[in-house]
Short mmCIF file of all heavy atoms in Angstrom, two decimals:
data_model
loop_
_atom_site.label_atom_id
_atom_site.label_comp_id
_atom_site.label_asym_id
_atom_site.label_seq_id
_atom_site.Cartn_x
_atom_site.Cartn_y
_atom_site.Cartn_z
N PRO H 608 110.85 26.43 116.35
CA PRO H 608 111.65 26.43 117.59
C PRO H 608 111.87 27.85 118.11
O PRO H 608 111.96 28.81 117.34
CB PRO H 608 112.97 25.79 117.16
CG PRO H 608 112.67 25.06 115.89
CD PRO H 608 111.59 25.84 115.21
N VAL H 609 111.96 27.98 119.42
CA VAL H 609 112.26 29.27 120.05
C VAL H 609 113.43 29.09 120.99
O VAL H 609 113.62 28.03 121.59
CB VAL H 609 111.04 29.84 120.81
CG1 VAL H 609 109.93 30.19 119.87
CG2 VAL H 609 110.56 28.86 121.88
N ALA H 610 114.22 30.16 121.11
CA ALA H 610 115.36 30.12 122.01
C ALA H 610 114.88 30.22 123.45
O ALA H 610 113.76 30.66 123.72
CB ALA H 610 116.32 31.25 121.68
N GLU H 611 115.73 29.83 124.36
CA GLU H 611 115.36 29.89 125.77
C GLU H 611 115.04 31.34 126.16
O GLU H 611 115.77 32.27 125.82
CB GLU H 611 116.51 29.36 126.62
CG GLU H 611 116.17 29.26 128.10
CD GLU H 611 117.27 28.62 128.91
OE1 GLU H 611 118.20 28.06 128.28
OE2 GLU H 611 117.20 28.68 130.15
N GLY H 612 113.92 31.51 126.85
CA GLY H 612 113.49 32.84 127.26
C GLY H 612 112.57 33.53 126.27
O GLY H 612 111.94 34.54 126.61
N GLU H 613 112.49 33.01 125.03
CA GLU H 613 111.58 33.61 124.04
C GLU H 613 110.18 33.04 124.22
O GLU H 613 109.99 31.92 124.70
CB GLU H 613 112.07 33.31 122.62
CG GLU H 613 113.36 34.01 122.25
CD GLU H 613 113.77 33.72 120.82
OE1 GLU H 613 113.18 32.79 120.20
OE2 GLU H 613 114.66 34.40 120.31
N ARG H 614 109.19 33.87 123.77
CA ARG H 614 107.81 33.38 123.81
C ARG H 614 107.61 32.33 122.72
O ARG H 614 108.15 32.46 121.62
CB ARG H 614 106.83 34.53 123.59
CG ARG H 614 106.71 35.46 124.80
CD ARG H 614 105.71 36.58 124.51
NE ARG H 614 104.40 36.05 124.19
CZ ARG H 614 103.49 35.72 125.09
NH1 ARG H 614 103.76 35.83 126.39
NH2 ARG H 614 102.31 35.24 124.73
N PRO H 615 106.84 31.29 123.00
CA PRO H 615 106.57 30.30 121.96
C PRO H 615 105.75 30.89 120.82
O PRO H 615 105.10 31.93 120.98
CB PRO H 615 105.78 29.21 122.70
CG PRO H 615 105.18 29.92 123.87
CD PRO H 615 106.17 30.97 124.27
N GLN H 616 105.78 30.23 119.69
CA GLN H 616 105.00 30.65 118.54
C GLN H 616 103.53 30.81 118.92
O GLN H 616 102.94 29.92 119.55
CB GLN H 616 105.15 29.60 117.44
CG GLN H 616 104.47 29.94 116.12
CD GLN H 616 104.61 28.80 115.13
OE1 GLN H 616 104.98 27.68 115.51
NE2 GLN H 616 104.31 29.05 113.88
#
Side-chain angles (χ1 to χ4, degrees):
V609 293
E611 186 175 348
E613 292 182 348
R614 287 180 59 85
Q616 184 183 14

